[in-house]
Amino acid sequence: MSVTAAAGFAAAGVTAGLKKSGGLDLAIVQNLGPLTSCATVFTANRCQANPVIWSQQVMKDGVVSAIVLNSGGANCYTGTIGFQTTHATAEAVATGLGISAGDVLVCSTGLIGEQLNLDLVTAGVVDAALALKTDAASTPDAALLAARAIMTTDTTPKQSVYVAPAGWTVGGMAKGAGMLAPGLATMLVVITTDARLSSAQLDAALRQATRVTFDRLDSDGCMSTNDTVSLLASGASGIEADEAEFTAALVALCQDLTLQLQADAEGSAHDVAIEVRNAASEPDAVTVARAVSRSALFKTAIYGNDPNWGRVLAAVGTTDAAFDPYGIDVAINGVQVCTAGEPDQPRELVDLTPRAVSVVIDLHEGDETATVWTNDLTHEYVEENSAYSS
Amino acid sequence: MSVTAAAGFAAAGVTAGLKKSGGLDLAIVQNLGPLTSCATVFTANRCQANPVIWSQQVMKDGVVSAIVLNSGGANCYTGTIGFQTTHATAEAVATGLGISAGDVLVCSTGLIGEQLNLDLVTAGVVDAALALKTDAASTPDAALLAARAIMTTDTTPKQSVYVAPAGWTVGGMAKGAGMLAPGLATMLVVITTDARLSSAQLDAALRQATRVTFDRLDSDGCMSTNDTVSLLASGASGIEADEAEFTAALVALCQDLTLQLQADAEGSAHDVAIEVRNAASEPDAVTVARAVSRSALFKTAIYGNDPNWGRVLAAVGTTDAAFDPYGIDVAINGVQVCTAGEPDQPRELVDLTPRAVSVVIDLHEGDETATVWTNDLTHEYVEENSAYSS
C-alpha cells in the first residue's frame, strides 16, 4: 500500500531483464487525474544522469502524467546514446498510455557508465502499460510490485501511507540503500496524493519536507547522480487540502521513508541519530551533525560498540560552526560522557548493543536544533561496495 | 637515521608505560644549538589537544630547545588536569635538560578524553633525559628509538634524510597511520636541520612544504586534534642554506614521509594517487581530488579491484570546482575509461591488482594540477578502527 493508496493512481512493476540478478526492474506510476500537478526534487550532484536531465525538462510546466523507473542501470555518463534511451523510454510510455512524452518523468538507478538495453526497456514498458490498464493496477499489490521493481541493494521495499482526517490521502514508495547523502541519495522516491493541490503548492510542501528528512539522511557521505523525489497529485479526492496540514503530513511520511532507508542502509549494523542542540543557527546544527555522520573513525567505533566520544569532538572541530571547543556536551545513548569539553560519566556505562544509537551534541550557542541520520561503517558495507558492480 | 642525521641534535626513545600494549612510548629530540630556530604547523582542527594549545604558546618567540612526544594518550578533552599534565611534562623536560620549559614543545597521540598518567610521563622524561646525555644520543640508533616511541597503530617507523651538496643536512621522523587528513592528520612529524636558518625562514619553507605534501594526504578524511609538524634548526653545520634549495629539499623530504605514511595507513590495501589535471585553479584541483579521496564508494571499489569510474565522477560532481560534467576525462592505471563524460576504453582493461593506483582526472578548464594521496577502504580498516580504543 503506497503509491496507489491515493485515489486516481495506478502502478505496475514488471521484469524487463535489466537487472543481472533477475527480478522486477521496471515500474510505472500513472496519474489518472483529474489533476496532473507535480513537484520534484533532484540530486544536487552536478554530474547528473540522463533521466535527471530529461526529467528537469519535463518539469518545466509542472505537468506530469506518469513516471517510469528502472533499476539495473543508472544511464549516467552514457553520452548521446544514453540520452536517446531516456527519451525513447518516455516515448514508449507515452505510446503505451496514450499521453504525451513531455509529461513522463524518467528515473534510473544502477551502475554508472553502462548503456541501458533499450529493447529490454521498451518491452518492459509495453508489459507495464498493459498491466496499468487492468483493475489490479490500483491495488496495494500493484504498488508493492512497483516498490519492488525499483530496489537495487535494498533488502525490503519501502512504503508509507497517511490518510488525513479531512479525507485526502498521501502515499509513497522509496528505494535506496547506499549513497544516502545530502541533496538526496541513490534514492528514488515517488509520492502520490489525491488532494487537490497545484504544482506550486506541491513544490513548496516537498521542498520543506525533503529539507528536514531525505536531505538529513547521510548514510555514507556519497551523493548520487540520479536521485529524484517526485510528488504527484491527482485531485481525485476532490478535497483541497490545507497547505499546512498537507505539509505536516508530507514531512511525517518522508521521515517514515527516510528511517526505512536508514534501517536498510547497505551493510549497516546501527541506525545512528545525531542530534545537535542549542546551535547558533540551523545550518550550524546541520553542519556539525553532518561532519560527525561522515567521520569514518566515529562510524567504525559505533560498529565496534565503542563509545569513543573523542571521535565525535574531533569531527565537530573540523566545522566552521559557532562553538567553544571547551563548551560542548556529548551524550551517547543517554549517558553524558562529556560535559564542557571534559570527561563526565565513564564511557563504559554506554550500551551500544542496540541497533538504535542516539548521539546528542549540545553546543550551548543558541537554540537551534537539527538531527542527521546515519549508519555505522561495517565489514558488510565494505563487502557490498567492493563487490557491487552491477 | 633521521632526526639525529643533522649535526647538533640528540634523540631518545624510552618506555614510560603509557601504551597498554607496552613498548617505547616517549621520545625527546633536543636541539644542542648553537641556534634554536623552530617552525611548526598545527592541526587545523578547532578542537585542539592540550599539547597543541601549550606548543602554540611556546612558538610565540620561535625558540625551541627540545620537543617531547608521547604515544599512549592524546591528552585532548582532558580539561584543566590535562593541561597541567602537559605543562608539567615540559617542566620535567626543562629540569632534566637544564633548559626553559617555555622552549619545550609537547606532542601527544592516542585516545581522546582520558588523562595521561603524569607519574609515568615524568619518570619517562627522566629516563629520556639521562639517555640524551650519552654519546649514543646522536646516533642513528637513538633516532630510531625516538621514531619507534611515537608509533601508535603504525607498523613501521618512518624516517627520511637528505644531505645537501652544500653541506647541510635535513632529517625527519613521522608517525601516523589513520586520520591522515587535510590540515594534517593524526600525524606527528619532527624534522631537524643543521643549516643556519632563522625561525621565519623555517616557517616559510615549512608552510610551503606541508601545503603540497602532508596536507594532501587524506587517508580516511578524518582530521586529528593533535597534529604537529615541527622543524628545528641547530645551525651546527655553520652553513647558511639557500632558501630555495632548502625549501626544495624539505618538500622532497616531506613527500617521502607522506608516502611512507600512506603506505602504512591503517588496514590499507592500495595506495591511491588522485591527480587532477588542467583545473582552473590549484584549489579547484585539490578540491576535486579530495572529494574523490573521501568517497567511501570509490574507496571500497578500489579495495575490490573494481575500476568503477562512475564513482569518481559522482564524487567530482559534489564539488563547486569549475568543470563541465560532460568535458571530463578519467584514466585509471593508464587506461582512459572515460573521455568527455562518455565511456571510452573498457573498464575490464584496468588492472587494479598492484598496490599502487593512479587516477587521473582531466577537467580541461585550465592548467593547474594537484595530487591527493589516499588509500582504499578495507575490511582491515574497519577492523582496526572498530576495535581500537587505546
Side-chain angles (χ1 to χ4, degrees):
Chain A
M1 192 79 161
S2 59
V3 290
T4 59
F9 288 95
V14 301
T15 301
L18 302 168
K19 265 186 194 161
K20 286 180 187 162
S21 59
L24 299 165
D25 52 15
L26 189 141
I28 299 178
V29 178
Q30 184 178 9
N31 183 351
L32 302 167
L35 298 185
T36 53
S37 310
C38 185
T40 48
V41 175
F42 297 104
T43 181
N45 200 308
R46 291 171 59 203
C47 295
Q48 295 177 325
N50 285 309
V52 171
I53 297 169
W54 167 268
S55 295
Q56 285 172 331
Q57 296 303 313
V58 169
M59 280 307 296
K60 287 202 167 166
D61 64 0
V63 173
V64 170
S65 299
I67 176 166
V68 56
L69 314 93
N70 74 272
S71 51
N75 196 2
C76 182
Y77 282 114
T78 44
T80 312
I81 296 172
F83 189 79
Q84 287 170 347
T85 298
T86 293
H87 185 178
T89 304
E91 292 284 359
V93 172
T95 303
L97 301 181
I99 58 178
S100 161
D103 298 339
V104 178
L105 295 177
V106 182
C107 298
S108 300
T109 177
L111 187 63
I112 294 173
E114 301 281 331
Q115 298 293 347
L116 272 180
N117 183 318
L118 180 57
D119 290 341
L120 294 179
V121 171
T122 306
V125 166
V126 170
D127 285 350
L130 286 174
L132 284 168
K133 297 186 197 309
T134 67
D135 288 343
S138 294
T139 64
D141 285 352
L144 182 59
L145 289 177
R148 287 193 179 282
I150 61 175
M151 288 165 60
T152 53
T153 57
D154 307 67
T155 63
T156 59
K158 285 95 180 167
Q159 302 185 93
S160 188
V161 172
Y162 173 81
V163 181
W168 49 265
T169 296
V170 57
M173 67 178 184
K175 68 79 45 179
M179 268 204 276
L180 300 168
L184 313 185
T186 303
M187 183 172 60
L188 301 179
V189 180
V190 180
I191 304 167
T192 57
T193 182
D194 50 18
R196 288 190 62 86
L197 290 164
S198 70
S199 294
Q201 289 172 312
L202 295 179
D203 188 69
L206 186 61
R207 286 181 191 283
Q208 190 160 335
T210 57
R211 185 176 66 82
V212 295
T213 57
F214 298 123
D215 275 355
R216 294 192 183 168
L217 175 63
D218 195 337
S219 180
D220 66 359
C222 295
M223 190 196 293
S224 162
T225 52
N226 288 58
D227 307 319
T228 305
V229 179
S230 56
L231 170 59
L232 293 76
S234 68
S237 69
I239 300 165
E240 290 188 21
D242 174 79
E243 282 185 58
E245 193 184 336
F246 181 77
T247 300
L250 191 65
V251 168
L253 184 115
C254 288
Q255 177 156 334
D256 181 19
L257 290 171
T258 295
L259 296 180
Q260 289 184 49
L261 290 165
Q262 180 190 33
D264 196 25
E266 284 173 345
S268 61
H270 290 90
D271 296 332
V272 187
I274 301 168
E275 181 183 346
V276 174
R277 293 184 184 165
N278 298 317
S281 68
E282 185 178 319
D284 267 14
V286 173
T287 296
V288 167
R290 200 181 295 292
V292 176
S293 81
R294 291 186 169 189
S295 163
L297 290 173
F298 165 74
K299 290 155 77 86
T300 47
I302 295 297
Y303 176 49
N305 293 343
D306 173 10
N308 194 327
W309 56 269
R311 295 178 176 181
V312 173
L313 290 174
V316 174
T318 64
T319 72
D320 60 1
F323 66 84
D324 170 0
Y326 295 94
I328 304 176
D329 305 339
V330 178
I332 304 179
N333 278 0
V335 179
Q336 186 144 337
V337 285
C338 172
T339 301
E342 297 200 32
D344 190 340
Q345 297 299 302
R347 61 183 77 200
E348 292 72 22
L349 295 180
V350 179
D351 178 12
L352 284 171
T353 53
R355 183 172 172 95
V357 174
S358 152
V359 176
V360 177
I361 302 161
D362 194 325
L363 297 181
H364 294 291
E365 289 284 343
D367 54 10
E368 295 294 331
T369 294
T371 298
V372 166
W373 296 280
T374 189
N375 296 99
D376 50 357
L377 176 53
T378 70
H379 282 305
E380 293 71 23
Y381 177 87
V382 172
E383 190 62 29
E384 280 200 41
N385 286 297
S386 58
Y388 173 75
S389 194
S390 59
Chain B
M1 194 78 163
S2 59
V3 290
T4 59
F9 288 94
V14 301
T15 301
L18 302 167
K19 264 186 194 163
K20 287 180 187 161
S21 59
L24 299 164
D25 52 15
L26 188 139
I28 299 179
V29 178
Q30 184 178 8
N31 184 350
L32 302 167
L35 299 184
T36 52
S37 309
C38 184
T40 47
V41 175
F42 297 104
T43 180
N45 200 307
R46 291 172 61 204
C47 294
Q48 296 178 325
N50 285 308
V52 171
I53 296 169
W54 166 267
S55 296
Q56 285 172 329
Q57 295 303 313
V58 169
M59 280 307 295
K60 286 202 167 167
D61 64 0
V63 173
V64 170
S65 299
I67 177 167
V68 55
L69 315 92
N70 75 272
S71 51
N75 196 3
C76 182
Y77 282 115
T78 45
T80 312
I81 296 173
F83 189 79
Q84 287 168 348
T85 298
T86 293
H87 185 180
T89 303
E91 292 286 357
V93 172
T95 302
L97 301 181
I99 58 178
S100 163
D103 298 339
V104 178
L105 296 177
V106 182
C107 298
S108 301
T109 176
L111 187 63
I112 295 174
E114 301 280 331
Q115 297 293 347
L116 273 179
N117 183 319
L118 179 57
D119 290 341
L120 294 178
V121 171
T122 306
V125 167
V126 169
D127 286 350
L130 286 174
L132 284 169
K133 296 185 197 311
T134 67
D135 288 345
S138 292
T139 64
D141 285 350
L144 182 58
L145 289 177
R148 286 192 181 282
I150 61 174
M151 289 165 58
T152 54
T153 56
D154 305 66
T155 63
T156 59
K158 285 95 181 167
Q159 302 185 95
S160 189
V161 172
Y162 173 80
V163 181
W168 50 265
T169 295
V170 56
M173 66 178 185
K175 69 77 45 179
M179 269 205 274
L180 301 167
L184 315 184
T186 300
M187 182 171 61
L188 301 180
V189 180
V190 180
I191 304 167
T192 58
T193 183
D194 48 19
R196 289 189 61 85
L197 290 163
S198 69
S199 294
Q201 289 172 313
L202 296 178
D203 189 68
L206 186 61
R207 285 181 192 283
Q208 192 160 335
T210 56
R211 185 176 65 82
V212 295
T213 57
F214 298 122
D215 275 354
R216 293 190 183 169
L217 175 62
D218 195 336
S219 181
D220 66 358
C222 294
M223 190 196 292
S224 162
T225 52
N226 288 55
D227 306 320
T228 306
V229 178
S230 55
L231 170 59
L232 292 75
S234 68
S237 70
I239 300 165
E240 289 188 20
D242 175 78
E243 283 185 58
E245 196 184 331
F246 181 78
T247 299
L250 191 64
V251 168
L253 184 115
C254 289
Q255 179 156 332
D256 182 18
L257 290 173
T258 295
L259 296 180
Q260 289 184 48
L261 290 166
Q262 180 190 31
D264 197 25
E266 284 174 343
S268 61
H270 289 88
D271 297 332
V272 187
I274 301 168
E275 181 184 345
V276 175
R277 293 183 185 165
N278 298 318
S281 68
E282 185 179 319
D284 266 14
V286 173
T287 296
V288 167
R290 200 180 297 291
V292 176
S293 81
R294 292 189 168 187
S295 163
L297 289 173
F298 166 73
K299 291 156 78 85
T300 47
I302 295 297
Y303 176 51
N305 293 343
D306 173 12
N308 194 327
W309 56 269
R311 294 179 177 179
V312 173
L313 291 173
V316 174
T318 65
T319 72
D320 59 2
F323 67 83
D324 169 0
Y326 295 94
I328 304 176
D329 303 340
V330 178
I332 303 179
N333 278 0
V335 179
Q336 186 144 337
V337 285
C338 173
T339 300
E342 297 201 31
D344 189 340
Q345 297 298 303
R347 62 183 77 202
E348 291 72 23
L349 296 179
V350 180
D351 179 10
L352 283 172
T353 54
R355 182 170 173 96
V357 175
S358 151
V359 177
V360 178
I361 302 161
D362 194 327
L363 297 181
H364 294 290
E365 290 284 341
D367 55 10
E368 295 294 331
T369 293
T371 298
V372 167
W373 297 280
T374 189
N375 297 98
D376 50 356
L377 175 54
T378 70
H379 283 306
E380 294 70 22
Y381 177 88
V382 172
E383 191 61 28
E384 280 200 40
N385 286 296
S386 57
Y388 174 76
S389 195
S390 59

